[in-house]
Amino acid sequence: MTNDVAGIVLAGGLSRRMGGGDKCLRDLAGKPILAHILERATPQVGKLALNVNGDPARFAAFGLPCVPDSVEGFAGPLAGVLAGLDWAAANAPDAKWVASFASDAPFLPTDLVARLREAAAREGADMASVASAGQTHPVFGLWPVSLREQLRHALTQEKIFKVDLWTARYRLAVVDFPVGEIDPFFNANAPEDLARALMHLGAVPPVAKDEKFPVGLFVRSAPPKTQWGETQWTPHSVIAGGAPLEPWSKVREEGETTVWFAGNHVLELFVAETIMYKMNLEQYEPGIYVVLRRDPSLPPPGIVVRHVSASPGEGEAFSVDGEHIVAKVALPPEIGAWLADYITAYHVEETFKKRKRSKIDPRKGFGKGAGSNDYGASFAQKENQS
């Protein structure tokens, strides 16, 4: 902990992908996401505040100052950074820097601030930010209190709301963090992300590598293409381990489309299908084949999940009758590893054997005795009858 760095957790967004509300207050392994973040962020700074909008009473349990945006209209993370700089200037006089933390990243590095300060000093930079796996994460940054008026002018007078546009004016040090079992800047933006976070924390019991794997299924609905058409339903995604959601609950809206949680299901493997699973993994984009069917007898939305499979053959079999909606969705890496282990354990590569045929004796015609197949015999029989 250092007194010349204050901290601000940016929790002033709208959380549209999580269905609205404060996503940082969602439960993760028995405590709010925000609690996980505070455990990691608090030891790294001298003083810490929350950037929140609306009634601050909902954050009272955390015992931290709540600082609203000074720029109206949910102006994005830069408005939260400005709120943190203003708060630090008034309440942490020893702070020369403000470190910002996203409120949806429960696995943020515990050496984040130390590495940002080191990089800024080493490179003579005005500010610092982070990257991982080839992607930058501008919400995590180290900002000088001395630039707060320049930031205020950029937001209020120039209407610059994108972090990258503002930082491009200054010397920015970017610290690259390695990715282990999970990206340290993994963010729980949607319910399916919560399920993955639970698995990383070990809150979801590990699945034995047998022939069954629980999965959570998400589907998308879209308006009809014509005024006489029906609502369009398509599989959207699958997550390993299932999700702690009620079936057919709305997850988020994307324009005119809606993403729904279609319930937890079981992906089952069979030894006889290993060649198909192998073909799946060898594709450029391996996937899970999801089969839906309309059923007007069911309550809304009137859609039933007919099958979930890792076999391209099964997916094709359901697609030929025209009664089912079949689509391939992305293969989660956990399921891909489990599928590869299953293939290694049970797949037996069959060698191709060329079938031998006897030569046809023209004196015996086209019957079986001539070495032809049954089709030849039946063809000869029809010819004799005509």
Side-chain angles (χ1 to χ4, degrees):
M1 180 172 65
T2 176
N3 289 328
D4 68 345
V5 180
I8 188 79
V9 178
L10 306 180
L14 296 175
S15 303
R16 290 188 180 93
R17 291 185 63 191
M18 194 68 85
D22 298 298
K23 60 184 173 183
C24 62
L25 298 181
R26 296 290 181 97
D27 182 83
L28 177 61
K31 57 187 177 184
I33 295 174
L34 182 57
H36 292 270
I37 293 166
L38 295 181
E39 286 178 359
R40 291 170 170 263
T42 302
Q44 302 188 53
V45 296
K47 290 186 177 181
L48 184 65
L50 303 177
N51 165 231
V52 298
N53 294 302
D55 185 3
R58 63 193 194 275
F59 293 94
F62 298 97
L64 291 174
C66 292
V67 184
D69 290 348
S70 58
V71 179
E72 297 181 355
F74 294 98
L78 273 182
V81 171
L82 176 59
L85 293 174
D86 287 341
W87 171 82
N91 298 277
D94 294 332
K96 298 179 180 179
W97 303 91
V98 169
S100 61
F101 308 93
S103 63
D104 57 1
F107 310 121
L108 66 92
T110 56
D111 61 347
L112 174 68
V113 173
R115 293 192 59 183
L116 289 176
R117 292 188 71 206
E118 179 184 336
R122 182 178 62 249
E123 300 179 27
D126 301 304
M127 54 193 65
S129 188
V130 303
S132 64
Q135 181 179 354
T136 59
H137 309 284
V139 174
F140 293 90
L142 187 67
W143 317 96
V145 177
S146 60
L147 288 180
R148 65 191 181 99
E149 293 305 328
Q150 289 89 326
L151 177 55
R152 192 187 324 279
H153 184 272
L155 283 167
T156 60
Q157 304 302 314
E158 301 176 75
K159 305 302 179 184
I160 293 177
F161 302 120
K162 287 183 65 69
V163 178
D164 293 342
L165 289 180
W166 189 63
T167 58
R169 299 177 171 182
Y170 303 93
R171 179 174 294 181
L172 175 70
V174 178
V175 181
D176 189 62
F177 283 80
V179 175
E181 294 182 359
I182 198 166
D183 193 311
F185 303 105
F186 165 89
N187 52 359
N189 264 329
E192 55 262 43
D193 298 327
L194 281 178
R196 185 180 175 195
L198 284 170
M199 291 190 68
H200 178 69
L201 291 171
V204 176
V207 180
K209 288 186 171 69
D210 53 15
E211 71 277 5
K212 295 182 180 180
F213 202 124
V215 297
L217 174 62
F218 295 82
V219 301
R220 179 190 284 118
S221 64
K225 290 185 177 180
T226 67
Q227 59 179 326
W228 302 280
E230 296 179 295
T231 299
Q232 303 175 73
W233 290 90
T234 53
H236 175 268
S237 60
V238 163
I239 60 171
L245 298 171
E246 289 296 321
W248 295 109
S249 55
K250 280 187 180 181
V251 174
R252 64 178 179 271
E253 294 185 357
E254 302 173 343
E256 293 187 323
T257 68
T258 301
V259 177
W260 305 72
F261 175 64
N264 293 316
H265 301 270
V266 174
L267 176 64
E268 191 167 4
L269 302 184
F270 302 93
V271 173
E273 289 285 313
T274 55
I275 183 62
M276 285 293 172
Y277 306 147
K278 190 169 183 290
M279 289 173 59
N280 186 0
L281 292 185
E282 290 173 350
Q283 294 182 93
Y284 179 72
E285 293 182 345
I288 297 294
Y289 297 83
V290 180
V291 183
L292 309 177
R293 181 170 56 82
R294 299 180 188 272
D295 190 342
S297 66
L298 294 175
I303 293 291
V304 63
V305 179
R306 184 74 172 81
H307 195 54
V308 181
S309 175
S311 166
E314 284 192 296
E316 183 178 356
F318 277 101
S319 65
V320 297
D321 61 9
E323 297 182 1
H324 294 90
I325 303 166
V326 183
K328 182 177 73 171
V329 299
L331 179 70
E334 302 94 332
I335 297 181
W338 170 70
L339 195 57
D341 287 348
Y342 189 86
I343 293 170
T344 300
Y346 297 108
H347 180 65
V348 177
E349 200 71 47
E350 295 185 4
T351 56
F352 176 74
K353 295 181 180 180
K354 186 175 181 180
R355 189 171 63 179
K356 293 183 179 180
R357 293 178 179 270
S358 58
K359 293 183 179 180
I360 296 177
D361 187 340
R363 295 172 298 177
K364 296 181 180 180
F366 293 91
K368 288 185 177 180
S372 64
N373 55 23
D374 291 339
Y375 173 78
S378 61
F379 177 79
Q381 184 179 7
K382 290 181 180 178
E383 286 293 300
N384 291 333
Q385 291 174 351
S386 58

